[in-house]
Amino acid sequence: MADNNVTISKGLEGIYIANTTLCQIDGAHGKLWYRGYPIETLADKSNYEEVAYLLLYGNLPKKKDLETFRKKLISEREVPESIADIIRTFTGRMHPNDVLRTCVSALPAFDVDMNDKSVEANLERAIKLTAKLPTIVAMIGRYKRGKPFLAPSSTLSHAANFLYMLNGVEPDSESAKLMDLMFMLHAEHGSNASTFSTLVTGSTLADVYASVVAGISTLRGPLHGGADEAALNMMRAIGNPENTETYIEDALAGKQRIMGFGHRVYKAYDPRAKIVYNYLKTFMTKTTDPTIERLLEIALRSEKLMEEKLSKTKGIWPNIDFFSGPLYTAVNIPSDLFTPVFAAARVVGWTAHLFEYWQNNRLFRPLDNYTGKLDIEYVPIDKR
Ligand code: ACO
């Protein structure tokens, strides 16, 4: 019998699942810290490699440590030929995020000792995944464009190498900086849906790869990491900036959600979106590409209208995913790679949470409140 006294927390809203020193989000005031450092400071002064180190090791690296970490990431950029085969077999037949997930599923086959569950071995796996995911995403993008795969650079930064492997030319410093910023802003974000599913899988003591596959799968949906692709698709459907207001008003009147707006935790402006928004406004004064100009204008007009309509009344502000589209388009990333790019950046956040959770592991096993009948008579199939 259903227990009417049970309180159900839909979507686990308001439930704490663990203590953490990785990330703090102040949703009411739109603030975010990685390991105590404000996101604005990191975005301004740091870089993805340093942020990845901070998340995985718990402190900012000294010069020598960062150099060693960078070298390690560079040395792990290549992927086995079987991963290239998976990319050739499945790209074009399923979404790039699904191809990425399939590639990560195959990586344990190349792990020298899957029985080694030591902290060091798991950290090594996290670093390998952080290095290889951008390579896999770039290879998927290359294959889709009918271009040959490129060997990773042994000198370029994490972000610049990704753009090089995808586009076939070394990015200018502005594009490399933009990509680095987006990687940093996507690296970590507390107990969001994909991190939570990474932890749920990890809590069974499944391995790092299986846990990350769960994270990649969960990221895919449009209510989570898939929102960036959906937001750009909306901007493309709007087409002409003049149509922005009518399109959004009609969508809201039809009770549609505007992708890239709203957040379970932020009831103020997502600080990551604010950083990207400011970047985008400066970027707009520099770009001369009419397609990018149009997308940027649609993004800014949408933001203004949503602010009037929903932000102040319902607390629905832009999230990180809203402004990604025009910026990624400017550095030649196709929209179906947005979510895999997000995964490639977030893998450090997923694995850092997993290692923290394993220090005090407890199997996730929530309850559900049964509302059906019990002891129903079984009727043989020919009598039903
Ligand atoms: N557009 C229009 N209305 C919205 C939006 C939106 N994007 N988001 C929420 N609302 C409205 C809901 O319709 C609801 O209205 P009601 O009270 O009149 O019924 C109210 O705001 C509350 O919505 P909930 O779904 O209860 O809020 P929740 O905390 O569950 O939603 C979510 C968070 C799923 C992110 C939601 O805002 C959404 O669907 N946004 C669009 C998808 C998106 O951008 N996802 C990316 C999030 S960031 C990330 O994952 C990286």
Side-chain angles (χ1 to χ4, degrees), residues 222-224 227 257-264 314 316 319 321:
L223 296 187
H224 189 19
R257 287 184 179 216
I258 308 301
M259 292 297 147
F261 280 85
H263 200 274
R264 174 66 59 75
K314 278 196 172 178
I316 295 169
N319 58 55
D321 285 337

